[in-house]
Structure formats: structure tokens, C-alpha cells
């Protein structure tokens, strides 16, 4: 019962674990670009073998980053209901069978073919791979590094008057607030459960019931988010933060040869995964 209230156990995106690994030491902008290229490769790859390779590679990243794999597995658990609904919709509403496909089951408008089964399995694997890769990225990159990395990556947009630094700061704050909101939700659930609310009694697959249980938490969570935002505004104003002004950095990040090697290896690996004709 208690573990069902501990939402922060299942939140990996937005947290940082300083293990000092090789992945932690890469320059943030090229690391972000490399992970973005890897995500594109994951989204395009549609073969069983290619996704198995990507899944093994995503799991191996946790070992390279010296981050326990249970962090990645716990990040998948909150997405399971959504994955199940998406898989059922893809399986049941695939459409007409194309020429050369084998029909496995047909009843009325429900048509299950080999292609629809492959779509469901590959989509689920893609979802898991993206969650694992995103978790490794945020767990191995601090807030400051993330902000500077996004700023350097989007620097060319400054020539068209795009607010690069402000946009980078907004994205970073949004990512880092994910575990904060999970912690607030956890506190609210425990507080209302102590007053008799039925939280944590339903099974994880009872999506409708769990959604109804969440409704009473929306207003208090929104109020808490506004308070957090106000505290953040006061903290930034007390440090004389002014949007639009040119800012300097206390710590200068330099791109080394290993950062370019990471980008090259990731790009070549993604190209191989996308364009190689796997048998299955």
C-alpha cells in the first residue's frame, strides 16, 4: 500500500545522479544533439532486430553511466497504462490488410494481421527505448549543464531574434519540475488518504478508477504549482535576473575531441539502424 503512494520512485526524468561516468563528462550541447539523433533513429526503425539492438543499447547506457538499471525500469511503470491503451487501439483499428499480409484474426471491423502485431510490438519497444534514453540523459546532466547545452545548441537562432536563453531556461525548468510535481502529488495523496480518501486501493490496470481518484488532486496541485512558480520568480528577481540581457557564465564549457567522437558514433549507429535491411 505504501509503495503506491511513493510516486517519486517511478519518476526518472528530471533527476540527476552524479556518478562521474564518461557520459556525465561529455559536453552538454553535443550530448543533447547525440541523444536527439539517437531518438530519431529509434522513432524511424521499424524492424524487430533493429529495436532489439536499440533496446540492448539503451540498457547498456545505464551501465556506462554507472546508474542502476532499476531507475530506468521504474520510469517505464507510469507509462504502462498508456502503452496498453495505445497497443490495443493499434491492434484493433489497424485497418485493411495490405497485399501479401497474413490475416491472423478477423471479426467484424476487427482485423489483426502480421503487420498490426509487428506495429504493436515495435511501438511498445520504441516507447520503452525513448524513456530509457531520456532517463539516461537527464540523470547524467545537471540543470546548469542542460541550460548551457540547449543555449549553445540553439545559438544560431539568435540571428533571427529568437529568445534562446529564455527558451532554454523554460525547457530546463519544465524538465526539472517533473520530480517536484511528483513529490507534491505524493504529499497530497497521502494527506487525503489519511482523511479517508481511497487512494492506492485499485489495481494498476484500473485506469478509469485511478483517473477518477486523481480529480480531487488537480486544484490543490495547481495551487501548489503556482506557489512554487512564485517562489522561483522571487528567487530569480533577488538575483537580478532580467530577460533579454546578455549573460555571462561563471563556468565555461569546452568541446573536446571525445565529444565529437560521441556525436560521430551516435550518428553512424543511428544511420546503420535506420538503413540496414534486417531480415526480421
Amino acid at each position: 500500500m505504501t509503495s503506491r503512494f511513493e510516486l517519486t520512485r517511478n519518476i526518472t526524468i528530471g533527476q540527476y545522479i552524479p556518478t562521474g561516468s564518461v557520459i556525465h563528462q561529455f559536453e552538454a550541447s553535443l550530448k543533447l544533439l547525440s541523444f536527439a539523433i539517437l531518438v530519431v533513429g529509434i522513432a524511424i526503425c521499424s524492424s524487430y532486430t533493429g529495436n532489439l539492438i536499440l533496446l540492448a543499447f539503451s540498457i547498456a547506457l545505464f551501465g556506462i553511466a554507472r546508474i542502476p538499471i532499476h531507475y530506468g525500469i521504474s520510469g517505464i511503470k507510469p507509462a504502462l497504462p498508456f502503452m496498453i491503451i495505445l497497443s490495443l487501439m493499434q491492434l484493433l483499428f489497424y485497418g485493411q490488410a495490405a497485399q501479401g499480409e497474413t490475416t491472423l484474426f478477423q471479426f467484424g471491423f476487427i482485423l489483426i494481421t502480421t503487420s498490426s502485431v509487428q506495429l504493436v510490438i515495435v511501438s511498445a519497444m520504441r516507447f520503452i527505448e525513448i524513456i530509457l534514453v531520456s532517463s539516461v540523459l537527464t540523470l547524467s546532466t545537471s540543470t546548469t549543464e542542460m541550460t548551457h547545452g540547449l543555449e549553445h545548441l540553439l545559438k544560431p537562432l539568435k540571428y533571427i531574434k529568437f529568445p534562446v536563453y529564455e527558451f532554454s531556461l523554460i525547457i530546463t525548468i519544465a524538465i526539472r519540475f517533473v520530480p517536484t510535481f511528483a513529490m507534491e502529488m505524493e504529499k497530497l495523496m497521502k494527506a487525503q488518504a489519511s482523511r479517508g480518501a481511497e487512494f492506492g486501493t485499485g489495481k494498476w490496470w484500473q485506469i478509469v478508477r485511478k483517473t477518477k481518484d486523481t480529480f480531487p488532486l488537480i486544484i490543490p496541485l495547481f495551487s501548489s504549482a503556482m506557489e512554487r512558480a512564485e517562489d522561483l520568480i522571487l528567487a530569480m528577481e533577488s538575483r537580478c535576473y532580467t530577460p533579454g540581457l546578455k549573460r555571462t557564465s561563471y563556468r565555461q564549457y569546452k568541446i573536446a575531441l571525445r565529444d565529437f567522437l560521441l556525436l560521430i558514433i551516435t550518428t553512424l549507429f543511428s544511420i546503420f539502424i535506420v538503413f540496414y535491411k534486417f531480415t526480421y
Side-chain angles (χ1 to χ4, degrees):
M1 175 73 72
T2 305
S3 61
R4 297 182 183 181
F5 292 105
E6 296 178 355
L7 302 180
T8 51
R9 284 187 177 184
N10 300 326
I11 300 296
T12 56
I13 296 177
Q15 302 192 45
Y16 175 62
I17 301 178
T19 63
S21 69
V22 176
I23 295 181
H24 286 72
Q25 297 172 12
F26 285 123
E27 200 274 332
S29 60
L30 291 188
K31 181 161 62 171
L32 284 168
L33 184 58
S34 299
F35 275 81
I37 293 172
L38 183 59
V39 169
V40 171
I42 292 172
I44 296 176
C45 181
S46 59
S47 64
Y48 289 125
T49 306
N51 277 278
L52 283 174
I53 295 173
L54 286 168
L55 183 60
F57 181 76
S58 302
I59 295 173
L61 286 176
F62 280 88
I64 298 173
R66 291 187 285 186
I67 298 172
I69 187 61
H70 68 80
Y71 277 97
I73 296 175
S74 62
I76 299 172
K77 290 173 63 178
L80 283 177
F82 175 78
M83 291 174 59
I84 293 173
I85 294 175
L86 180 62
S87 298
L88 288 175
M89 292 180 64
Q90 289 176 328
L91 189 63
L92 300 178
F93 305 101
Y94 179 71
Q96 298 296 324
Q99 186 177 2
E101 288 185 346
T102 303
T103 301
L104 303 177
F105 177 81
Q106 186 173 6
F107 180 78
F109 65 90
I110 299 176
L111 177 64
I112 300 177
T113 65
T114 52
S115 296
S116 62
V117 172
Q118 181 176 358
L119 177 63
V120 169
I121 296 174
V122 168
S123 298
M125 294 177 70
R126 285 174 178 168
F127 209 88
I128 293 172
E129 290 153 11
I130 291 175
I131 291 175
L132 293 176
V133 168
S134 303
S135 299
V136 172
L137 176 62
T138 56
L139 289 170
S140 63
T141 310
S142 66
T143 306
T144 304
E145 291 174 344
M146 187 79 72
T147 305
H148 285 288
L150 280 172
E151 184 182 3
H152 292 165
L153 204 59
L154 301 175
K155 200 170 185 179
L157 296 179
K158 287 184 177 180
Y159 296 104
I160 59 174
K161 305 299 182 181
F162 185 81
V164 172
Y165 183 81
E166 289 76 11
F167 179 77
S168 303
L169 187 62
I170 290 171
I171 296 297
T172 306
I173 291 173
I175 293 174
R176 292 307 179 194
F177 260 59
V178 171
T180 303
F181 284 142
M183 190 180 301
E184 290 294 329
M185 177 75 83
E186 182 180 317
K187 291 179 181 178
L188 290 171
M189 290 177 64
K190 290 179 179 178
Q192 295 207 19
S194 66
R195 293 170 173 83
E198 295 184 357
F199 286 111
T201 56
K203 302 298 182 180
W204 64 269
W205 63 80
Q206 295 176 326
I207 302 171
V208 176
R209 178 176 178 178
K210 293 178 74 67
T211 303
K212 289 181 178 179
D213 291 342
T214 307
F215 282 149
L217 303 176
I218 294 177
I219 294 178
L221 184 63
F222 183 77
S223 177
S224 175
M226 297 298 291
E227 291 177 2
R228 291 270 186 175
E230 186 175 355
D231 292 340
L232 181 61
I233 292 170
L234 293 175
M236 294 175 71
E237 287 182 345
S238 66
R239 291 165 175 80
C240 301
Y241 175 80
T242 305
L245 294 182
K246 185 177 180 180
R247 302 178 62 84
T248 58
S249 301
Y250 175 76
R251 182 177 179 182
Q252 299 295 326
Y253 296 92
K254 296 182 179 180
I255 299 176
L257 178 61
R258 64 184 179 187
D259 302 315
F260 287 107
L261 289 176
L262 172 68
L263 181 61
I264 293 171
I265 292 172
T266 306
T267 303
L268 293 176
F269 177 71
S270 300
I271 291 173
F272 166 74
I273 287 295
V274 171
F275 291 102
Y276 187 79
K277 301 298 182 181
F278 294 102
T279 306
Y280 300 101

